[in-house]
Amino acid sequence: MGAPRQFTRDEVKKSATENIDDASLPRYTVIHGKVYDLSDPSFLSWHPGGVVALSQVGNDASGAFDVFHPASSDAHQVLANFYAGDLHENEAVEQSTFAKDIQKLRDMIEQKGWYKSDKLWYTQAFFSNLAILVAAIALVAYAPSNILAVLLSAACVAVFWQQSGWLSHDLAHNQVFSNRMHNDIGAYLVGNVFQGFSVSWWKHKHCTHHSVPNVHMGDPDINTMPLLAWSEHALEGFADFNDETLAKFMVTYQPLIYFPLLSLARLNWCLSSILFNTEKIAAHGHNFPSRTGIELASLALHWVWYIGSAFYFMTPGYAFLWISVSNMIAGVLLAAVFSVNHNGMPVYTKDEAAAINFYQLAILTGRDVTPNAFNNWFTGGLNMQIEHHMFPSVPRHNLVKLRPMVMEICEKNNVPYHTTSLATGLWEVVERLAVVSKLANKPHRK
């Protein structure tokens, strides 16, 4: 057997521009100095994140790989099956002080066992959330014709969905159980049946976001044109839409229509969940591992208990009111938290992001919301967004332990760390929308 092939970074990068849409050609990525070829069809069908891995083709994916695969996982051994060679020794990059500090923190997390969840904590979170649904159903069972009871019940359902979203998020990130299948089962119950969002749809969308946060033309969470534009980069896409006039109208008034749009977010995600599965889990022509039958059956159960409860306990008029209000409130509660996590923070091009350390990118694009009892509960721990993006497998109740250490590393290495109150974070989001709106209406833009 000959010596391993030696690659230059340009060769690796070239595969992203020339080969990404042709599975018969190599798709190279770099992980800790070794080059791997992700073009093998067996990789995408095996990889739990499916096509998400292709977001790192052409790049050094060391950081992205590490955050999704703790050192204790078997992913390192499996990855060897796709080994293509090594980076040439002349391509080696000296590790920065920041990178060394992050590695020390990663080692500490492993040593202290902070990847392990507190099962009692998650048990109380599960049943306290279930109690909210019980209260919601009890209200309409005992007062189905009282409009205040119906509205309060709808609000409770919305909060139940929001909190179910955070629990399913933790399960899908494999934070709760050490066994991946156990996490998936829990996610099907809490995410699909309780909340109505597909696990496979969520993993595809959310893990891609984690891989390329706030990267233009990469992160699906900021790919919201023609409804909202989060950066000047997005404004270049006006011509891509059939109704350019409508797109410009939406962006012009986006600071005003932002919160009304959020009220429609839950229904949009529910529809996306169904379409993602009924379209045979197709994602840009590539495979995505999924249990389609379980996905669709559990989503059907969601709509059976939800619509069934509405029309069993209430007259049609009150039932439609309950359904409408619960969906609108849930959309705002969920999307407001998602928005404050990253929206309004810097947006980078793919080339700019590739030149930034992956952990530093997570810090620069994330916004923390000050931890306290309410914020921790309301956001499901996502108020510690920076720490979550750096260590997504760490259970939310352990993130607060990491926060001062991450802040110390940032201060030592002059990396901006942004933290605000919840209200200030939301205001910053709207301010950013206003800035982009003004850019869209500059005289030089046609």
Side-chain angles (χ1 to χ4, degrees):
M1 191 174 181
R5 177 180 170 182
Q6 302 293 297
F7 287 83
T8 66
R9 290 188 184 273
D10 283 343
E11 285 180 284
V12 173
K13 184 177 181 180
K14 191 176 181 182
S15 74
T17 57
E18 295 186 351
N19 307 350
I20 191 64
D21 293 321
D22 188 345
S24 67
L25 297 174
R27 295 166 172 162
Y28 296 127
T29 190
V30 178
I31 300 176
H32 299 304
K34 297 185 181 297
V35 179
Y36 299 91
D37 183 0
L38 308 185
S39 62
D40 188 334
S42 66
F43 175 81
L44 293 180
S45 60
W46 158 81
H47 185 237
V51 72
V52 171
L54 298 187
S55 65
Q56 293 296 324
V57 168
N59 297 332
D60 189 321
S62 302
F65 178 82
D66 288 344
V67 301
F68 284 112
H69 311 92
S72 57
S73 73
D74 62 357
H76 301 74
Q77 289 73 36
V78 177
L79 191 63
N81 296 323
F82 307 98
Y83 172 71
D86 298 325
L87 273 184
H88 193 279
E89 59 182 10
N90 294 338
E91 297 281 350
V93 177
E94 185 177 354
Q95 196 176 39
S96 66
T97 302
F98 173 81
K100 291 176 181 178
D101 290 341
I102 293 297
Q103 185 56 53
K104 289 178 184 177
L105 181 54
R106 280 176 50 82
D107 294 340
M108 179 185 294
I109 294 171
E110 288 276 2
Q111 293 165 6
K112 291 185 175 292
W114 288 345
Y115 282 114
K116 296 180 180 178
S117 68
D118 182 339
K119 303 301 187 294
L120 184 61
W121 189 94
Y122 273 109
T123 298
Q124 66 80 25
F126 177 85
F127 283 105
S128 62
N129 186 44
L130 201 58
I132 296 174
L133 177 63
V134 171
I137 299 301
L139 278 167
V140 292
Y142 286 100
S145 300
N146 184 309
I147 191 168
L148 291 179
V150 170
L151 292 175
L152 180 58
S153 172
C156 286
V157 170
V159 173
F160 168 73
W161 281 335
Q162 184 209 42
Q163 294 301 309
S164 294
W166 311 150
L167 284 171
S168 59
H169 168 270
D170 293 359
L171 287 157
H173 267 304
N174 299 300
Q175 294 178 11
V176 182
F177 302 107
S178 57
N179 183 293
R180 184 180 294 273
M181 177 60 75
H182 294 165
N183 284 302
D184 284 348
I185 292 171
Y188 288 135
L189 174 62
V190 181
N192 291 39
V193 178
F194 286 4
Q195 189 192 33
F197 294 173
S198 160
V199 169
S200 59
W201 164 80
W202 181 90
K203 283 186 177 182
H204 175 260
K205 180 177 184 292
H206 187 70
C207 291
T208 303
H209 157 69
H210 266 265
S211 182
V212 283
N214 272 24
V215 175
H216 178 60
M217 298 300 291
D219 183 354
D221 284 6
I222 60 170
N223 183 25
T224 52
M225 284 285 284
L227 301 179
L228 298 169
W230 295 105
S231 70
E232 190 168 7
H233 304 301
L235 300 180
E236 299 166 2
F238 274 134
D240 296 337
F241 299 99
N242 293 330
D243 194 337
E244 186 177 339
T245 302
L246 176 61
K248 287 187 176 180
F249 173 84
M250 297 296 289
V251 172
T252 297
Y253 296 101
Q254 62 183 15
L256 300 176
I257 64 176
Y258 174 62
F259 283 105
L261 274 179
L262 297 191
S263 68
L264 303 175
R266 180 182 184 271
L267 286 175
N268 176 55
W269 292 328
C270 286
L271 177 61
S272 297
S273 292
I274 295 170
L275 292 177
F276 186 84
N277 286 280
T278 55
E279 292 173 358
K280 300 180 180 178
I281 321 303
H284 306 297
H286 302 298
N287 294 327
F288 192 91
S290 177
R291 305 175 182 93
T292 311
I294 295 175
E295 289 276 359
L296 292 174
S298 53
L299 289 174
L301 281 175
H302 167 78
W303 293 103
V304 168
W305 77 255
Y306 175 49
I307 301 299
S309 297
F311 288 94
Y312 179 80
F313 291 110
M314 291 168 278
T315 60
Y318 280 114
F320 281 116
L321 176 65
W322 189 73
I323 291 169
S324 300
V325 172
S326 59
N327 275 287
M328 288 190 292
I329 295 177
V332 173
L333 293 180
L334 285 162
V337 173
F338 294 148
S339 296
V340 83
N341 291 338
H342 295 277
N343 293 150
M345 298 301 290
V347 174
Y348 297 95
T349 65
K350 290 184 178 181
D351 286 342
E352 289 171 340
I356 303 173
N357 176 282
F358 185 81
Y359 289 91
Q360 189 170 341
L361 183 66
I363 296 167
L364 294 174
T365 59
R367 177 191 290 107
D368 266 26
V369 170
T370 308
N372 58 45
F374 174 78
N375 287 343
N376 295 354
W377 169 80
F378 182 77
T379 67
L382 295 179
N383 55 318
M384 289 166 279
Q385 185 66 195
I386 291 172
E387 291 74 21
H388 170 62
H389 259 257
M390 296 173 74
F391 309 102
S393 297
V394 172
R396 73 168 96 157
H397 54 73
N398 285 336
L399 290 176
V400 69
K401 301 173 185 176
L402 304 180
R403 194 168 188 265
M405 299 174 189
V406 172
M407 294 177 77
E408 182 180 345
I409 290 173
C410 289
E411 183 176 4
K412 174 184 174 181
N413 293 278
N414 296 314
V415 177
Y417 180 103
H418 190 53
T419 182
T420 70
S421 67
L422 182 58
T424 300
L426 288 169
W427 178 249
E428 289 176 357
V429 170
V430 176
E431 276 189 321
R432 180 58 184 166
L433 289 171
V435 168
V436 177
S437 175
K438 290 178 182 178
L439 290 174
N441 287 281
K442 279 187 174 181
H444 71 275
R445 289 196 174 275
K446 296 181 180 180

